[in-house]
Amino acid sequence: MRGYFFVALLALALAEISAIGGNHLPEAALNLNERFFDEVRELIKRRMESKPLPLAGDEVALQNQRSYDNVPIPAANVPVPVLVENWPTDQHSFGQVTAVSVDPEGNPVIFHRADRYWDVNTFNESNIYYLIEYGPIKEKTIYVLDPKTGAIKTGWGSEMFYMPHGMTIDGHGNYWITDVAMHQAFKFRPFESKPQLVIGKRFRPGSSVKHLCKPTSIAVATTGEFFIADGYCNSRILKFNAAGKLLRSIPQPPEFLSLQVPHAITLLEHLDLLCIADRENMRVVCPKAGLKSSHGEGQPAATIQEPDLGRVFGVSGYGDIVFAVNGPTSMLPVRGFTIDPRSETIIGHWGEFKNPHSIAVSVNGSALYVTETGTNHQTNRVWKYVLA
Protein backbone atom coordinates (compact mmCIF):
# COMPACT_ATOMS: atom_id res chain seq x y z
CA MET A 1 0.00 0.00 0.00
CA ARG A 2 2.79 2.43 0.87
CA GLY A 3 4.46 1.58 -2.48
CA TYR A 4 1.36 2.81 -4.26
CA PHE A 5 1.55 6.17 -2.54
CA PHE A 6 5.28 6.43 -3.30
CA VAL A 7 4.53 5.97 -7.01
CA ALA A 8 1.80 8.63 -6.75
CA LEU A 9 4.21 11.04 -5.14
CA LEU A 10 6.85 10.29 -7.76
CA ALA A 11 4.35 11.14 -10.49
CA LEU A 12 3.48 14.32 -8.64
CA ALA A 13 7.17 15.16 -8.37
CA LEU A 14 7.63 14.75 -12.12
CA ALA A 15 4.75 17.11 -12.76
CA GLU A 16 5.94 19.77 -10.34
CA ILE A 17 9.57 19.64 -11.48
CA SER A 18 8.37 19.91 -15.09
CA ALA A 19 6.31 22.94 -14.15
CA ILE A 20 9.28 24.49 -12.40
CA GLY A 21 11.35 24.04 -15.57
CA GLY A 22 8.71 26.04 -17.54
CA ASN A 23 8.31 23.50 -20.38
CA HIS A 24 8.04 19.75 -21.03
CA LEU A 25 10.95 17.50 -20.21
CA PRO A 26 13.06 16.68 -23.28
CA GLU A 27 13.52 13.11 -24.47
CA ALA A 28 17.00 13.14 -23.00
CA ALA A 29 15.36 13.40 -19.58
CA LEU A 30 14.47 9.72 -19.90
CA ASN A 31 18.06 9.16 -18.84
CA LEU A 32 17.39 10.85 -15.51
CA ASN A 33 20.48 12.30 -13.88
CA GLU A 34 21.41 12.47 -10.21
CA ARG A 35 20.31 16.07 -9.88
CA PHE A 36 16.77 15.11 -10.88
CA PHE A 37 16.63 12.36 -8.22
CA ASP A 38 17.89 14.79 -5.62
CA GLU A 39 15.04 17.14 -6.49
CA VAL A 40 12.50 14.25 -6.33
CA ARG A 41 13.75 13.14 -2.91
CA GLU A 42 13.54 16.68 -1.58
CA LEU A 43 10.02 17.17 -2.90
CA ILE A 44 8.79 13.86 -1.48
CA LYS A 45 10.35 14.72 1.86
CA ARG A 46 8.51 18.05 1.93
CA ARG A 47 5.23 16.38 0.96
CA MET A 48 5.55 13.69 3.67
CA GLU A 49 6.37 16.27 6.33
CA SER A 50 3.32 18.36 5.42
CA LYS A 51 0.90 15.39 5.03
CA PRO A 52 1.69 11.83 6.20
CA LEU A 53 1.05 8.95 3.84
CA PRO A 54 -2.40 7.38 4.21
CA LEU A 55 -2.50 4.11 6.14
CA ALA A 56 -3.57 0.77 4.73
CA GLY A 57 -6.95 -0.65 5.82
CA ASP A 58 -5.68 -2.75 8.75
CA GLU A 59 -3.47 0.09 9.96
CA VAL A 60 -6.46 2.44 9.92
CA ALA A 61 -8.42 -0.06 12.01
CA LEU A 62 -5.53 -0.37 14.44
CA GLN A 63 -5.20 3.41 14.75
CA ASN A 64 -8.94 3.73 15.34
CA GLN A 65 -8.74 0.95 17.92
CA ARG A 66 -6.03 2.84 19.80
CA SER A 67 -8.25 5.91 19.87
CA TYR A 68 -10.61 4.22 22.35
CA ASP A 69 -8.37 1.58 23.96
CA ASN A 70 -7.40 2.25 27.56
CA VAL A 71 -10.00 5.03 27.91
CA PRO A 72 -11.99 4.40 31.12
CA ILE A 73 -15.78 4.42 30.87
CA PRO A 74 -17.22 7.48 32.69
CA ALA A 75 -18.77 6.48 36.02
CA ALA A 76 -22.08 8.09 35.02
CA ASN A 77 -22.34 5.66 32.09
CA VAL A 78 -21.86 2.49 34.17
CA PRO A 79 -25.13 0.72 35.15
CA VAL A 80 -25.32 -0.47 38.76
CA PRO A 81 -27.04 -3.81 39.54
CA VAL A 82 -29.74 -3.40 42.22
CA LEU A 83 -31.27 -6.51 43.82
CA VAL A 84 -34.98 -7.17 43.25
CA GLU A 85 -36.30 -8.27 46.64
CA ASN A 86 -38.66 -11.26 46.93
CA TRP A 87 -38.00 -12.50 43.41
CA PRO A 88 -39.09 -15.07 42.48
CA THR A 89 -42.36 -14.69 44.32
CA ASP A 90 -42.77 -18.49 44.56
CA GLN A 91 -40.18 -20.94 45.86
CA HIS A 92 -38.84 -23.39 43.28
CA SER A 93 -37.35 -26.85 43.79
CA PHE A 94 -34.54 -26.69 41.27
CA GLY A 95 -31.47 -28.87 41.27
CA GLN A 96 -28.05 -27.27 40.89
CA VAL A 97 -28.74 -24.27 38.63
CA THR A 98 -25.62 -24.24 36.49
CA ALA A 99 -26.64 -21.74 33.83
CA VAL A 100 -28.95 -18.84 33.09
CA SER A 101 -29.60 -16.99 29.84
CA VAL A 102 -32.25 -14.59 28.57
CA ASP A 103 -34.31 -15.32 25.47
CA PRO A 104 -35.19 -12.69 22.81
CA GLU A 105 -38.52 -12.01 24.56
CA GLY A 106 -36.71 -11.06 27.78
CA ASN A 107 -37.57 -14.24 29.72
CA PRO A 108 -34.86 -15.63 32.00
CA VAL A 109 -34.18 -19.30 31.25
CA ILE A 110 -32.38 -21.66 33.64
CA PHE A 111 -30.54 -24.95 33.11
CA HIS A 112 -30.41 -27.23 36.14
CA ARG A 113 -29.27 -30.74 37.13
CA ALA A 114 -32.43 -31.90 38.91
CA ASP A 115 -31.32 -34.77 41.19
CA ARG A 116 -27.77 -35.03 39.79
CA TYR A 117 -24.69 -33.75 41.62
CA TRP A 118 -21.10 -33.50 40.49
CA ASP A 119 -18.77 -34.91 43.15
CA VAL A 120 -15.58 -36.98 43.39
CA ASN A 121 -17.45 -40.10 42.22
CA THR A 122 -18.85 -38.60 39.02
CA PHE A 123 -15.83 -39.10 36.71
CA ASN A 124 -12.84 -41.45 36.69
CA GLU A 125 -9.23 -40.36 36.18
CA SER A 126 -9.68 -40.43 32.40
CA ASN A 127 -12.69 -38.07 32.65
CA ILE A 128 -15.13 -40.83 31.73
CA TYR A 129 -18.57 -40.32 33.28
CA TYR A 130 -19.25 -43.09 35.80
CA LEU A 131 -23.03 -42.98 35.81
CA ILE A 132 -23.92 -43.58 32.15
CA GLU A 133 -25.99 -46.62 33.15
CA TYR A 134 -28.44 -44.38 35.01
CA GLY A 135 -29.44 -42.76 31.74
CA PRO A 136 -30.26 -39.09 31.11
CA ILE A 137 -32.03 -36.89 33.64
CA LYS A 138 -35.73 -37.78 33.61
CA GLU A 139 -36.99 -34.35 34.69
CA LYS A 140 -37.17 -31.22 32.61
CA THR A 141 -33.77 -29.53 32.82
CA ILE A 142 -34.68 -26.21 31.18
CA TYR A 143 -37.28 -23.82 32.56
CA VAL A 144 -38.47 -20.52 31.07
CA LEU A 145 -39.37 -18.05 33.85
CA ASP A 146 -41.61 -15.01 33.97
CA PRO A 147 -39.34 -11.95 34.27
CA LYS A 148 -41.84 -10.15 36.54
CA THR A 149 -42.66 -12.90 39.03
CA GLY A 150 -40.09 -15.64 38.40
CA ALA A 151 -42.91 -18.17 37.95
CA ILE A 152 -42.30 -21.09 35.60
CA LYS A 153 -43.90 -20.42 32.21
CA THR A 154 -42.83 -23.61 30.47
CA GLY A 155 -40.06 -26.19 30.43
CA TRP A 156 -38.37 -28.87 28.36
CA GLY A 157 -35.19 -30.95 28.23
CA SER A 158 -36.25 -34.18 29.94
CA GLU A 159 -34.49 -37.44 29.00
CA MET A 160 -31.80 -35.48 27.12
CA PHE A 161 -28.88 -34.49 29.37
CA TYR A 162 -26.64 -36.21 31.90
CA MET A 163 -24.71 -33.41 33.63
CA PRO A 164 -25.82 -29.93 32.54
CA HIS A 165 -23.32 -27.08 32.61
CA GLY A 166 -23.56 -24.14 30.17
CA MET A 167 -26.43 -22.59 28.24
CA THR A 168 -26.61 -19.56 25.94
CA ILE A 169 -29.64 -18.37 23.96
CA ASP A 170 -28.75 -16.45 20.81
CA GLY A 171 -30.62 -13.58 19.16
CA HIS A 172 -32.72 -16.02 17.10
CA GLY A 173 -33.84 -17.98 20.14
CA ASN A 174 -31.55 -20.97 19.55
CA TYR A 175 -30.29 -22.79 22.64
CA TRP A 176 -26.56 -23.55 22.85
CA ILE A 177 -25.84 -26.11 25.56
CA THR A 178 -22.87 -27.95 27.05
CA ASP A 179 -23.01 -31.25 28.94
CA VAL A 180 -19.81 -32.12 30.81
CA ALA A 181 -20.73 -35.81 31.17
CA MET A 182 -21.37 -36.27 27.45
CA HIS A 183 -18.35 -34.09 26.52
CA GLN A 184 -20.47 -32.39 23.90
CA ALA A 185 -21.86 -29.01 22.87
CA PHE A 186 -25.25 -28.68 21.16
CA LYS A 187 -27.36 -26.21 19.24
CA PHE A 188 -31.13 -26.68 19.60
CA ARG A 189 -34.20 -24.94 18.32
CA PRO A 190 -36.46 -24.13 21.28
CA PHE A 191 -38.30 -27.16 22.73
CA GLU A 192 -36.87 -29.57 20.16
CA SER A 193 -35.24 -32.80 21.29
CA LYS A 194 -33.05 -33.28 18.23
CA PRO A 195 -30.05 -30.90 17.99
CA GLN A 196 -29.28 -28.96 14.83
CA LEU A 197 -25.56 -29.14 15.53
CA VAL A 198 -23.34 -31.32 17.73
CA ILE A 199 -19.67 -30.73 18.56
CA GLY A 200 -17.67 -33.46 20.29
CA LYS A 201 -17.98 -37.24 20.61
CA ARG A 202 -20.65 -38.68 22.89
CA PHE A 203 -19.12 -39.78 26.23
CA ARG A 204 -15.65 -39.77 24.64
CA PRO A 205 -13.37 -37.08 26.09
CA GLY A 206 -10.31 -36.04 24.11
CA SER A 207 -8.03 -33.21 23.08
CA SER A 208 -8.15 -33.52 19.29
CA VAL A 209 -10.02 -30.96 17.18
CA LYS A 210 -12.94 -33.39 16.96
CA HIS A 211 -13.21 -33.97 20.68
CA LEU A 212 -14.19 -31.94 23.72
CA CYS A 213 -13.53 -32.67 27.37
CA LYS A 214 -16.02 -31.30 29.90
CA PRO A 215 -16.95 -28.19 27.87
CA THR A 216 -18.26 -25.36 30.01
CA SER A 217 -19.73 -22.47 28.01
CA ILE A 218 -20.66 -21.14 24.56
CA ALA A 219 -20.69 -17.59 23.18
CA VAL A 220 -22.49 -16.83 19.90
CA ALA A 221 -21.81 -13.81 17.66
CA THR A 222 -24.39 -12.01 15.53
CA THR A 223 -22.29 -13.15 12.54
CA GLY A 224 -23.20 -16.76 13.37
CA GLU A 225 -19.70 -17.66 14.50
CA PHE A 226 -19.53 -19.30 17.91
CA PHE A 227 -16.96 -20.10 20.57
CA ILE A 228 -16.83 -23.12 22.91
CA ALA A 229 -14.93 -23.03 26.20
CA ASP A 230 -13.37 -26.48 26.38
CA GLY A 231 -13.23 -26.40 29.55
CA TYR A 232 -12.09 -28.44 32.53
CA CYS A 233 -9.55 -30.69 30.76
CA ASN A 234 -8.24 -28.93 27.66
CA SER A 235 -8.37 -25.32 28.92
CA ARG A 236 -8.83 -23.90 25.43
CA ILE A 237 -11.36 -21.95 23.40
CA LEU A 238 -12.50 -23.26 20.01
CA LYS A 239 -13.90 -20.87 17.41
CA PHE A 240 -16.27 -22.17 14.72
CA ASN A 241 -18.13 -20.74 11.76
CA ALA A 242 -21.93 -20.91 11.71
CA ALA A 243 -21.86 -24.32 10.05
CA GLY A 244 -19.64 -25.81 12.75
CA LYS A 245 -16.31 -25.72 10.92
CA LEU A 246 -13.37 -25.11 13.23
CA LEU A 247 -11.66 -21.80 12.50
CA ARG A 248 -9.24 -21.31 15.34
CA SER A 249 -8.06 -22.57 18.70
CA ILE A 250 -7.23 -20.12 21.51
CA PRO A 251 -4.47 -20.03 22.52
CA GLN A 252 -2.34 -21.05 19.58
CA PRO A 253 1.31 -20.23 18.74
CA PRO A 254 2.68 -17.61 18.93
CA GLU A 255 -0.15 -16.51 21.24
CA PHE A 256 1.03 -16.30 24.84
CA LEU A 257 -2.10 -17.04 26.85
CA SER A 258 -2.25 -19.82 29.42
CA LEU A 259 -5.79 -20.69 30.54
CA GLN A 260 -6.71 -22.76 33.59
CA VAL A 261 -10.36 -23.85 33.43
CA PRO A 262 -12.07 -21.30 31.16
CA HIS A 263 -15.38 -21.57 33.00
CA ALA A 264 -17.50 -19.04 31.08
CA ILE A 265 -17.16 -16.81 28.02
CA THR A 266 -18.93 -13.75 26.63
CA LEU A 267 -18.56 -11.49 23.59
CA LEU A 268 -18.14 -7.73 23.40
CA GLU A 269 -18.72 -7.42 19.68
CA HIS A 270 -18.28 -3.65 19.50
CA LEU A 271 -14.73 -4.06 20.82
CA ASP A 272 -14.22 -7.38 18.98
CA LEU A 273 -13.28 -9.05 22.27
CA LEU A 274 -14.00 -12.49 23.70
CA CYS A 275 -13.88 -12.26 27.50
CA ILE A 276 -13.06 -15.43 29.43
CA ALA A 277 -13.63 -16.31 33.08
CA ASP A 278 -10.19 -17.87 33.55
CA ARG A 279 -11.26 -19.47 36.81
CA GLU A 280 -8.18 -21.06 38.33
CA ASN A 281 -5.93 -18.20 37.20
CA MET A 282 -8.34 -15.90 39.09
CA ARG A 283 -8.75 -13.38 36.31
CA VAL A 284 -10.77 -12.29 33.29
CA VAL A 285 -8.87 -12.22 30.00
CA CYS A 286 -10.18 -10.74 26.77
CA PRO A 287 -8.32 -11.72 23.57
CA LYS A 288 -9.42 -10.49 20.16
CA ALA A 289 -12.41 -12.42 18.85
CA GLY A 290 -11.52 -11.85 15.19
CA LEU A 291 -15.12 -11.18 14.13
CA LYS A 292 -14.36 -8.00 12.19
CA SER A 293 -10.94 -8.97 10.93
CA SER A 294 -8.13 -11.36 11.77
CA HIS A 295 -5.95 -8.37 12.62
CA GLY A 296 -5.05 -8.47 16.29
CA GLU A 297 -5.63 -12.19 16.77
CA GLY A 298 -2.82 -13.59 18.87
CA GLN A 299 -1.84 -10.22 20.33
CA PRO A 300 -1.69 -9.90 24.15
CA ALA A 301 -5.14 -10.12 25.70
CA ALA A 302 -6.65 -7.46 27.91
CA THR A 303 -6.24 -8.84 31.43
CA ILE A 304 -8.19 -8.01 34.57
CA GLN A 305 -6.58 -9.53 37.63
CA GLU A 306 -6.93 -7.77 40.97
CA PRO A 307 -6.45 -9.05 44.54
CA ASP A 308 -10.16 -9.19 45.38
CA LEU A 309 -11.31 -10.90 42.18
CA GLY A 310 -10.73 -14.51 43.18
CA ARG A 311 -11.89 -17.49 41.11
CA VAL A 312 -14.19 -16.15 38.39
CA PHE A 313 -17.13 -18.43 37.60
CA GLY A 314 -19.37 -16.36 35.35
CA VAL A 315 -19.11 -13.45 32.89
CA SER A 316 -21.72 -11.62 30.82
CA GLY A 317 -21.11 -8.76 28.42
CA TYR A 318 -23.27 -5.67 28.14
CA GLY A 319 -22.18 -2.88 25.81
CA ASP A 320 -18.47 -2.36 26.44
CA ILE A 321 -18.44 -3.72 30.00
CA VAL A 322 -18.46 -7.16 31.60
CA PHE A 323 -20.43 -8.25 34.65
CA ALA A 324 -18.80 -11.12 36.53
CA VAL A 325 -19.25 -13.25 39.64
CA ASN A 326 -16.59 -15.01 41.62
CA GLY A 327 -16.89 -18.15 43.71
CA PRO A 328 -15.52 -19.21 47.09
CA THR A 329 -11.83 -18.28 47.17
CA SER A 330 -10.01 -18.37 50.50
CA MET A 331 -11.26 -15.44 52.61
CA LEU A 332 -12.39 -13.20 49.75
CA PRO A 333 -15.97 -11.90 49.60
CA VAL A 334 -18.17 -13.76 47.09
CA ARG A 335 -19.91 -11.11 45.02
CA GLY A 336 -20.42 -9.46 41.66
CA PHE A 337 -18.01 -7.27 39.74
CA THR A 338 -18.34 -4.68 36.99
CA ILE A 339 -15.30 -4.77 34.71
CA ASP A 340 -14.00 -2.39 32.06
CA PRO A 341 -11.79 -4.42 29.67
CA ARG A 342 -10.49 -1.28 27.92
CA SER A 343 -8.85 0.08 31.07
CA GLU A 344 -8.35 -3.48 32.45
CA THR A 345 -9.90 -2.51 35.78
CA ILE A 346 -12.72 -3.43 38.13
CA ILE A 347 -15.02 -0.40 38.24
CA GLY A 348 -17.74 -1.66 40.56
CA HIS A 349 -18.75 -4.24 43.19
CA TRP A 350 -22.25 -5.45 43.96
CA GLY A 351 -24.23 -8.34 45.46
CA GLU A 352 -23.47 -10.98 48.04
CA PHE A 353 -23.55 -14.69 47.25
CA LYS A 354 -22.53 -18.10 48.56
CA ASN A 355 -21.75 -20.21 45.50
CA PRO A 356 -22.66 -18.42 42.22
CA HIS A 357 -22.14 -20.31 39.00
CA SER A 358 -23.47 -18.23 36.09
CA ILE A 359 -24.67 -14.76 35.12
CA ALA A 360 -26.65 -13.26 32.23
CA VAL A 361 -27.86 -9.81 31.16
CA SER A 362 -31.01 -9.25 29.13
CA VAL A 363 -30.52 -7.91 25.61
CA ASN A 364 -32.12 -4.54 26.43
CA GLY A 365 -30.10 -4.19 29.63
CA SER A 366 -33.13 -4.04 31.89
CA ALA A 367 -32.21 -7.01 34.08
CA LEU A 368 -29.34 -9.18 35.23
CA TYR A 369 -29.64 -12.71 36.63
CA VAL A 370 -27.25 -14.78 38.77
CA THR A 371 -27.64 -18.49 39.59
CA GLU A 372 -26.22 -20.41 42.52
CA THR A 373 -25.47 -24.10 42.99
CA GLY A 374 -25.85 -25.79 46.37
CA THR A 375 -27.04 -28.94 48.07
CA ASN A 376 -30.78 -28.21 48.36
CA HIS A 377 -33.56 -26.16 46.75
CA GLN A 378 -32.92 -23.26 49.11
CA THR A 379 -29.34 -22.84 47.91
CA ASN A 380 -30.05 -23.76 44.28
CA ARG A 381 -31.62 -20.51 43.19
CA VAL A 382 -31.80 -17.54 40.81
CA TRP A 383 -31.35 -13.89 41.75
CA LYS A 384 -32.67 -10.95 39.75
CA TYR A 385 -31.11 -7.48 39.57
CA VAL A 386 -32.22 -4.41 37.69
CA LEU A 387 -29.58 -2.21 36.11
CA ALA A 388 -29.95 1.35 37.44
Side-chain angles (χ1 to χ4, degrees):
M1 183 63 74
R2 288 185 179 274
Y4 170 83
F5 287 103
F6 177 82
V7 170
L9 279 173
L10 181 57
L12 182 61
L14 284 167
E16 292 201 12
I17 291 171
S18 174
I20 292 169
N23 50 30
H24 295 289
L25 291 173
E27 289 185 10
L30 293 174
N31 298 318
L32 299 174
N33 57 29
E34 188 62 31
R35 178 173 172 274
F36 171 78
F37 278 112
D38 287 341
E39 292 176 355
V40 170
R41 290 190 199 96
E42 186 61 31
L43 180 59
I44 291 175
K45 181 180 178 182
R46 291 198 305 271
R47 287 279 175 172
M48 291 182 69
E49 287 174 349
S50 63
K51 186 176 182 180
L53 287 175
L55 297 174
D58 283 346
E59 292 172 291
V60 170
L62 182 58
Q63 181 165 288
N64 291 339
Q65 176 76 22
R66 287 170 181 154
S67 68
Y68 63 75
D69 277 354
N70 304 317
V71 178
I73 298 173
N77 296 341
V78 179
V80 178
V82 177
L83 180 65
V84 177
E85 302 286 351
N86 302 314
W87 190 97
T89 55
D90 296 327
Q91 189 73 31
H92 297 305
S93 298
F94 296 139
Q96 291 184 328
V97 188
T98 60
V100 62
S101 190
V102 183
D103 68 19
E105 287 73 45
N107 301 306
V109 184
I110 65 100
F111 193 31
H112 78 123
R113 292 174 178 162
D115 59 352
R116 298 279 168 92
Y117 290 88
W118 185 352
D119 58 27
V120 294
N121 299 312
T122 304
F123 295 90
N124 67 16
E125 293 181 355
S126 300
N127 298 305
I128 301 295
Y129 182 58
Y130 266 135
L131 308 176
I132 297 175
E133 63 188 62
Y134 288 90
I137 297 169
K138 294 178 174 55
E139 296 179 40
K140 294 175 181 178
T141 53
I142 298 170
Y143 286 111
V144 180
L145 308 182
D146 186 298
K148 294 181 179 179
T149 66
I152 294 174
K153 298 176 71 172
T154 186
W156 61 289
S158 59
E159 300 283 352
M160 292 174 63
F161 306 108
Y162 287 75
M163 189 61 68
H165 199 279
M167 179 185 66
T168 299
I169 302 174
D170 66 23
H172 300 287
N174 299 304
Y175 284 64
W176 299 76
I177 285 171
T178 67
D179 187 311
V180 290
M182 299 170 75
H183 305 290
Q184 288 181 305
F186 307 92
K187 176 187 177 182
F188 290 92
R189 285 197 178 98
F191 309 102
E192 291 191 359
S193 59
K194 185 177 180 180
Q196 284 187 295
L197 185 67
V198 180
I199 305 294
K201 303 296 183 181
R202 186 179 176 90
F203 296 116
R204 292 168 55 192
S207 57
S208 77
V209 295
K210 294 184 178 180
H211 290 81
L212 303 175
C213 188
K214 298 177 183 172
T216 53
S217 179
I218 302 176
V220 186
T222 55
T223 59
E225 295 164 289
F226 63 96
F227 300 76
I228 298 176
D230 179 37
Y232 285 94
C233 319
N234 295 324
S235 287
R236 64 184 179 180
I237 309 295
L238 301 176
K239 177 183 177 181
F240 298 84
N241 69 10
K245 178 183 178 181
L246 182 65
L247 300 176
R248 183 184 174 214
S249 178
I250 304 171
Q252 64 183 14
E255 194 168 13
F256 185 76
L257 178 65
S258 176
L259 302 174
Q260 291 295 327
V261 186
H263 195 263
I265 53 178
T266 189
L267 283 163
L268 300 182
E269 293 199 42
H270 175 248
L271 301 179
D272 198 22
L273 295 178
L274 176 75
C275 289
I276 305 165
D278 190 8
R279 196 183 77 179
E280 298 308 305
N281 281 329
M282 294 188 285
R283 63 182 183 175
V284 173
V285 291
C286 302
K288 284 291 182 183
L291 300 174
K292 300 177 181 179
S293 129
S294 61
H295 184 83
E297 288 185 348
Q299 291 185 353
T303 302
I304 301 88
Q305 188 168 33
E306 298 190 15
D308 67 334
L309 188 55
R311 298 162 69 228
V312 187
F313 276 70
V315 288
S316 183
Y318 176 64
D320 291 347
I321 63 175
V322 173
F323 292 105
V325 287
N326 67 357
T329 312
S330 186
M331 302 297 290
L332 293 177
V334 180
R335 55 185 174 176
F337 300 82
T338 306
I339 292 170
D340 179 6
R342 296 187 298 181
S343 61
E344 299 180 284
T345 56
I346 295 170
I347 55 177
H349 300 85
W350 48 272
E352 183 178 343
F353 308 104
K354 288 183 171 59
N355 196 32
H357 197 266
S358 69
I359 182 172
V361 181
S362 61
V363 175
N364 64 6
S366 63
L368 176 152
Y369 300 91
V370 176
T371 72
E372 295 206 59
T373 59
T375 57
N376 56 60
H377 69 272
Q378 293 179 329
T379 53
N380 293 319
R381 63 164 301 165
V382 189
W383 301 91
K384 179 179 179 179
Y385 290 77
V386 294
L387 298 179

